[in-house]
Amino acid sequence: MQHHACFTRLELDNRLGQKVFLGVTHIPTELRDYVFVTALSQQASSFVGKNADHFAFQLLHRFQLDTKHFELVELRSAADEQSLWRWRFEWVGTTPLSGRGELVTSPVQRQQLMRLLDPHDQLKAAAT
């Protein structure tokens, strides 16, 4: 189940100042501003991890978000498996430091995040 259709291709700078492309989608909710990212082509699993601070800074400014509500979530796809990684930062003003990725293992959290990516799923869940 690929979710690339809900992502927009965005050009960002990596930590070396090179232009790279990521799939990005911003989903605001009442409490959080979720920014989902995914590699558009086969990348090492550490691709976002090595660049998380740089990507978070650029995305925060691009979408004009507040650090208090900013949530960066990475969707990784390998074969038929998908995993979600939530990225946490220590913020100094609007500069993210010490990015740490945590695999989302809670089935409830995973389901909630995946529903954000698939509005049709939300409609199905509301109908039941």
Side-chain angles (χ1 to χ4, degrees):
M1 176 156 87
Q2 293 290 326
H3 283 281
H4 291 293
C6 65
F7 288 90
T8 301
R9 185 175 187 248
L10 271 180
E11 180 180 75
L12 299 171
D13 293 326
N14 68 9
R15 64 190 168 99
L16 304 174
Q18 301 164 324
K19 301 292 183 196
V20 295
F21 291 96
L22 275 183
V24 176
T25 189
H26 171 224
I27 301 171
T29 67
E30 286 183 28
L31 301 175
R32 300 268 181 242
D33 281 303
Y34 291 94
V35 178
F36 288 86
V37 297
T38 190
L40 295 174
S41 59
Q42 282 297 94
Q43 297 283 348
S45 61
S46 61
F47 174 67
V48 171
K50 288 182 179 181
N51 297 286
D53 297 352
H54 298 280
F55 293 160
F57 179 80
Q58 294 168 74
L59 293 166
L60 182 81
H61 289 282
R62 174 164 292 197
F63 295 113
Q64 300 177 346
L65 304 175
D66 183 334
T67 59
K68 293 179 188 112
H69 306 287
F70 180 80
E71 290 279 343
L72 183 64
V73 180
E74 175 189 4
L75 174 67
R76 290 185 190 169
S77 298
D80 285 340
E81 264 187 55
Q82 293 183 324
S83 59
L84 293 169
W85 290 77
R86 183 176 298 216
W87 290 91
R88 308 263 189 211
F89 305 95
E90 293 178 29
W91 293 94
V92 177
T94 59
T95 302
L97 303 174
S98 306
R100 293 177 309 282
E102 302 168 349
L103 178 63
V104 177
T105 57
S106 161
V108 172
Q109 286 181 355
R110 182 177 163 72
Q111 183 179 28
Q112 289 172 337
L113 291 170
M114 293 303 277
R115 278 194 186 143
L116 289 173
L117 284 175
D118 190 350
H120 294 92
D121 237 16
Q122 286 181 345
L123 294 174
K124 283 186 247 176
T128 58

